[in-house]
PDB file of all heavy atoms in Angstrom:
ATOM      1  N   THR A1864      14.361  23.709  18.826  1.00 87.00           N
ATOM      2  CA  THR A1864      14.386  25.193  18.729  1.00 87.00           C
ATOM      3  C   THR A1864      12.991  25.566  18.524  1.00 87.00           C
ATOM      4  O   THR A1864      12.313  26.559  19.100  1.00 87.00           O
ATOM      5  CB  THR A1864      15.190  25.829  17.541  1.00 87.00           C
ATOM      6  OG1 THR A1864      16.421  25.429  17.757  1.00 87.00           O
ATOM      7  CG2 THR A1864      15.101  27.224  17.483  1.00 87.00           C
ATOM      8  N   VAL A1865      12.169  24.870  17.628  1.00 88.00           N
ATOM      9  CA  VAL A1865      10.783  25.074  17.283  1.00 88.00           C
ATOM     10  C   VAL A1865       9.904  24.861  18.637  1.00 88.00           C
ATOM     11  O   VAL A1865       9.166  25.567  18.969  1.00 88.00           O
ATOM     12  CB  VAL A1865      10.249  24.271  16.112  1.00 88.00           C
ATOM     13  CG1 VAL A1865       8.876  24.622  15.803  1.00 88.00           C
ATOM     14  CG2 VAL A1865      11.165  24.624  14.883  1.00 88.00           C
ATOM     15  N   MET A1866      10.232  23.772  19.280  1.00 86.00           N
ATOM     16  CA  MET A1866       9.519  23.269  20.457  1.00 86.00           C
ATOM     17  C   MET A1866       9.645  24.461  21.563  1.00 86.00           C
ATOM     18  O   MET A1866       8.667  24.817  22.183  1.00 86.00           O
ATOM     19  CB  MET A1866       9.957  22.020  20.908  1.00 86.00           C
ATOM     20  CG  MET A1866       9.114  21.374  22.004  1.00 86.00           C
ATOM     21  SD  MET A1866       9.861  19.769  22.624  1.00 86.00           S
ATOM     22  CE  MET A1866       9.778  18.923  21.108  1.00 86.00           C
ATOM     23  N   HIS A1867      10.888  24.777  21.673  1.00 88.00           N
ATOM     24  CA  HIS A1867      11.129  25.934  22.620  1.00 88.00           C
ATOM     25  C   HIS A1867      10.376  27.209  22.356  1.00 88.00           C
ATOM     26  O   HIS A1867       9.822  27.769  23.164  1.00 88.00           O
ATOM     27  CB  HIS A1867      12.642  26.205  22.764  1.00 88.00           C
ATOM     28  CG  HIS A1867      12.902  27.424  23.654  1.00 88.00           C
ATOM     29  ND1 HIS A1867      12.894  27.406  24.957  1.00 88.00           N
ATOM     30  CD2 HIS A1867      13.422  28.757  23.203  1.00 88.00           C
ATOM     31  CE1 HIS A1867      13.270  28.621  25.416  1.00 88.00           C
ATOM     32  NE2 HIS A1867      13.600  29.439  24.411  1.00 88.00           N
ATOM     33  N   ALA A1868      10.356  27.638  20.949  1.00 89.00           N
ATOM     34  CA  ALA A1868       9.492  28.765  20.665  1.00 89.00           C
ATOM     35  C   ALA A1868       8.195  28.719  20.907  1.00 89.00           C
ATOM     36  O   ALA A1868       7.529  29.613  21.392  1.00 89.00           O
ATOM     37  CB  ALA A1868       9.894  28.921  19.050  1.00 89.00           C
ATOM     38  N   CYS A1869       7.433  27.484  20.580  1.00 90.00           N
ATOM     39  CA  CYS A1869       6.065  27.320  20.975  1.00 90.00           C
ATOM     40  C   CYS A1869       5.780  27.347  22.418  1.00 90.00           C
ATOM     41  O   CYS A1869       4.894  28.000  22.827  1.00 90.00           O
ATOM     42  CB  CYS A1869       5.613  26.079  20.337  1.00 90.00           C
ATOM     43  SG  CYS A1869       5.701  25.923  18.469  1.00 90.00           S
ATOM     44  N   GLN A1870       6.693  26.761  23.217  1.00 88.00           N
ATOM     45  CA  GLN A1870       6.531  26.746  24.686  1.00 88.00           C
ATOM     46  C   GLN A1870       6.538  28.205  25.168  1.00 88.00           C
ATOM     47  O   GLN A1870       5.895  28.573  26.210  1.00 88.00           O
ATOM     48  CB  GLN A1870       7.474  25.862  25.329  1.00 88.00           C
ATOM     49  CG  GLN A1870       7.275  24.310  25.057  1.00 88.00           C
ATOM     50  CD  GLN A1870       8.492  23.579  25.410  1.00 88.00           C
ATOM     51  OE1 GLN A1870       9.463  24.001  25.821  1.00 88.00           O
ATOM     52  NE2 GLN A1870       8.087  22.210  25.504  1.00 88.00           N
ATOM     53  N   LYS A1871       7.562  28.862  24.627  1.00 89.00           N
ATOM     54  CA  LYS A1871       7.725  30.377  25.047  1.00 89.00           C
ATOM     55  C   LYS A1871       6.477  31.167  24.899  1.00 89.00           C
ATOM     56  O   LYS A1871       6.037  31.960  25.694  1.00 89.00           O
ATOM     57  CB  LYS A1871       9.055  30.962  24.389  1.00 89.00           C
ATOM     58  CG  LYS A1871       9.430  32.408  25.136  1.00 89.00           C
ATOM     59  CD  LYS A1871      10.722  32.825  24.553  1.00 89.00           C
ATOM     60  CE  LYS A1871      11.025  34.114  25.310  1.00 89.00           C
ATOM     61  NZ  LYS A1871      12.444  34.633  24.843  1.00 89.00           N
ATOM     62  N   VAL A1872       5.990  31.078  23.582  1.00 91.00           N
ATOM     63  CA  VAL A1872       4.770  31.808  23.226  1.00 91.00           C
ATOM     64  C   VAL A1872       3.574  31.455  24.170  1.00 91.00           C
ATOM     65  O   VAL A1872       2.794  32.404  24.584  1.00 91.00           O
ATOM     66  CB  VAL A1872       4.419  31.666  21.821  1.00 91.00           C
ATOM     67  CG1 VAL A1872       3.002  32.413  21.495  1.00 91.00           C
ATOM     68  CG2 VAL A1872       5.426  32.096  20.852  1.00 91.00           C
ATOM     69  N   ASP A1873       3.459  30.184  24.403  1.00 88.00           N
ATOM     70  CA  ASP A1873       2.407  29.687  25.415  1.00 88.00           C
ATOM     71  C   ASP A1873       2.501  30.494  26.660  1.00 88.00           C
ATOM     72  O   ASP A1873       1.538  30.789  27.388  1.00 88.00           O
ATOM     73  CB  ASP A1873       2.438  28.143  25.524  1.00 88.00           C
ATOM     74  CG  ASP A1873       1.920  27.510  24.373  1.00 88.00           C
ATOM     75  OD1 ASP A1873       0.918  28.033  23.679  1.00 88.00           O
ATOM     76  OD2 ASP A1873       2.213  26.314  24.134  1.00 88.00           O
ATOM     77  N   LYS A1874       3.729  30.808  27.242  1.00 87.00           N
ATOM     78  CA  LYS A1874       3.940  31.285  28.394  1.00 87.00           C
ATOM     79  C   LYS A1874       3.667  32.898  28.376  1.00 87.00           C
ATOM     80  O   LYS A1874       3.226  33.429  29.351  1.00 87.00           O
ATOM     81  CB  LYS A1874       5.280  31.090  28.968  1.00 87.00           C
ATOM     82  CG  LYS A1874       5.679  29.626  29.397  1.00 87.00           C
ATOM     83  CD  LYS A1874       7.085  29.498  29.846  1.00 87.00           C
ATOM     84  CE  LYS A1874       7.311  28.083  30.099  1.00 87.00           C
ATOM     85  NZ  LYS A1874       8.725  27.916  30.663  1.00 87.00           N
ATOM     86  N   LEU A1875       3.952  33.378  27.123  1.00 89.00           N
ATOM     87  CA  LEU A1875       3.913  34.926  27.041  1.00 89.00           C
ATOM     88  C   LEU A1875       2.598  35.436  26.488  1.00 89.00           C
ATOM     89  O   LEU A1875       2.283  36.612  26.462  1.00 89.00           O
ATOM     90  CB  LEU A1875       5.002  35.458  26.128  1.00 89.00           C
ATOM     91  CG  LEU A1875       6.554  35.158  26.652  1.00 89.00           C
ATOM     92  CD1 LEU A1875       7.478  35.593  25.556  1.00 89.00           C
ATOM     93  CD2 LEU A1875       6.703  35.835  27.999  1.00 89.00           C
TER      94      LEU A1875
END
Side-chain angles (χ1 to χ4, degrees):
T1864 302
V1865 180
M1866 189 182 300
H1867 172 73
C1869 294
Q1870 291 171 347
K1871 186 170 183 179
V1872 173
D1873 281 332
K1874 290 179 181 178
L1875 298 176

